[in-house]
Amino acid sequence: VRHLECTEHGGLVVASHSDGVAFLDSREATAVLHVRGQGQAYSACAPGHALGTLAHTLLVCLGHRLVYYDLRCLGMHSNGPPILQEWKLPTTAVGLDAVSSAGLSTTGDFLAVAGCKGGETVFVA
């Protein structure tokens, strides 16, 4: 496990690991779903913590992609939660964080920064 992220979505904990992402129910201490085979997940970030309004969303760095998930339908799809948006990264991402974009951006509710191998940084809004 590379990173654990607690979400505000019903006690859901997300574990990023070398073969994907695991969604865990912290109330029941059980695994809800494993999303495998989409690349190594180096980091995950729940923007709802920074914003208070996006508690049902999750950003995950999967290999050369930054994936924005909708967690409201987590248990309804065997291949993982629905993808709201996806960005291609120049190299493998190794770090991720998000902040509220209030007053900074007119394109979305958050600004995310993915740190990639080789020192490249990608900003998304």
Side-chain angles (χ1 to χ4, degrees):
V1 172
R2 291 193 168 99
H3 182 80
L4 283 177
E5 180 72 16
C6 297
T7 73
E8 296 179 16
H9 186 71
L12 187 67
V13 176
V14 179
S16 53
H17 56 81
S18 62
D19 193 32
V21 182
F23 297 90
L24 314 166
D25 183 341
S26 64
R27 298 168 299 181
E28 300 290 327
T30 58
V32 176
L33 179 68
H34 288 269
V35 178
R36 294 186 171 106
Q38 295 186 14
Q40 295 185 23
Y42 280 90
S43 192
C45 179
H49 281 263
L51 310 177
T53 58
L54 298 172
H56 63 276
T57 62
L58 178 75
L59 289 159
V60 178
C61 289
L62 284 169
H64 290 225
R65 300 179 303 140
L66 176 58
V67 183
Y68 187 41
Y69 288 112
D70 184 345
L71 299 177
R72 292 176 289 191
C73 301
L74 179 63
M76 303 171 102
H77 304 279
S78 61
N79 59 340
I83 295 174
L84 296 172
Q85 195 164 355
E86 187 174 330
W87 298 270
K88 177 105 171 97
L89 302 173
T91 60
T92 302
V94 294
L96 175 66
D97 205 355
V99 296
S100 170
S101 65
L104 300 174
S105 170
T106 59
T107 60
D109 294 322
F110 66 89
L111 293 173
V113 178
C116 300
K117 284 186 177 179
E120 295 183 73
T121 304
V122 176
F123 297 89
V124 297

